[in-house]
């Protein structure tokens, strides 16, 4: 949308990555490492040189969502189609993520997005910076920002009470767009 996409009449985002959690490394160091390794030809290398097997992830360790049943369903899908698994990040991915999110946080193009935008953020997200998401949302001229305090990153895999907030907000967005014609 910030690059001029015009085919949509509205946009709904669930915990969008508009800032990257750096897990104790600090933003300047993590960004410098990502840029350096990517530009030294190591963009396809995994962070800290090891892959993560998605099948090794645990419900307790990942903090994706609070609902074990939905986690188990996700795991079953992953077991049935292992190619859908996401392993560890690469230095190239990290560099791209930092560059893109920085551009979105500072670009005036974001302020030109005039379609209705719904952003539902996870208050306990350990993957994306909810504070950066809120900053970008404030710059969107037609945005509704909702932060669910006790949600983890995968809002649509969350418990029914958390998902209900997402679906209520989504229904309101769709109804508003429908009312506009």
């Amino acid at each position: 949308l910030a690059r001029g996409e015009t085919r949509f009449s509205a946009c709904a985002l669930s915990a969008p990555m508009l800032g990257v959690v750096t897990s104790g490394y600090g933003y300047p160091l993590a960004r410098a490492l990502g840029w350096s390794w990517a530009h030294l030809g190591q963009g396809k290398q995994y962070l800290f040189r090891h892959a993560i097997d998605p099948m090794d992830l645990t419900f307790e360790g990942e903090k994706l969502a609070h609902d074990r049943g939905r986690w188990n369903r996700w795991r079953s899908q992953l077991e049935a189609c292992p190619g859908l698994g996401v392993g560890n990040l690469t230095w190239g991915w990290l560099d791209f993520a930092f560059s893109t999110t920085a551009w979105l946080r500072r670009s005036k193009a974001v302020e030109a997005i005039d379609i209705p935008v719904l952003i539902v953020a996870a208050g306990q997200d350990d993957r994306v910076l909810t504070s950066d998401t809120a900053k970008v949302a404030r710059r969107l001229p037609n945005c509704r920002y909702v932060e669910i305090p006790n949600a983890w990153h995968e809002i649509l895999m969350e418990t029914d009470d958390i998902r209900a907030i997402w679906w209520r907000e989504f229904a309101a967005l769709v109804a508003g767009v429908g009312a506009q014609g």
Side-chain angles (χ1 to χ4, degrees):
L1 295 172
R3 297 249 188 230
E5 176 59 61
T6 61
R7 291 177 288 177
F8 300 100
S9 57
C11 176
L13 302 169
S14 173
M17 188 180 71
L18 298 172
V20 181
V21 171
T22 58
S23 299
Y25 287 91
Y27 183 86
L29 176 60
R31 182 146 191 209
L33 285 170
W35 186 91
S36 298
W37 283 109
H39 288 83
L40 289 171
Q42 301 300 307
K44 293 183 179 180
Q45 296 296 321
Y46 292 112
L47 271 64
F48 311 114
R49 297 217 178 263
H50 71 284
I52 293 175
D53 183 346
M55 298 312 291
D56 290 340
L57 303 178
T58 65
F59 175 77
E60 295 78 12
E62 285 308 302
K63 292 188 173 181
L64 284 175
H66 292 87
D67 189 284
R68 183 177 285 279
R70 289 190 178 100
W71 167 269
N72 290 341
R73 185 176 320 136
W74 173 77
R75 284 294 298 224
S76 295
Q77 291 170 338
L78 189 57
E79 289 166 4
C81 300
L84 296 176
V86 176
N88 198 4
L89 310 176
T90 63
W91 290 109
W93 181 93
L94 186 64
D95 179 49
F96 178 79
F98 279 130
S99 298
T100 302
T101 57
W103 181 81
L104 285 167
R105 287 193 307 273
R106 71 174 185 274
S107 175
K108 293 288 185 189
V110 168
E111 297 166 10
I113 299 170
D114 60 356
I115 63 170
V117 175
L118 168 64
I119 296 177
V120 179
Q124 294 182 10
D125 202 322
D126 66 352
R127 286 159 171 74
V128 302
L129 287 175
T130 301
S131 59
D132 284 355
T133 303
K135 288 175 191 172
V136 173
R138 284 192 292 271
R139 296 181 49 232
L140 290 162
N142 194 6
C143 180
R144 173 141 172 81
Y145 175 82
V146 177
E147 186 173 317
I148 306 173
N150 55 337
W152 287 344
H153 180 65
E154 292 293 348
I155 294 170
L156 293 172
M157 283 176 48
E158 271 289 6
T159 57
D160 289 344
D161 59 324
I162 292 172
R163 284 169 40 103
I165 297 167
W166 160 264
W167 288 116
R168 180 189 67 227
E169 295 296 334
F170 182 78
L173 173 71
V174 171
V177 171
Q180 294 175 359

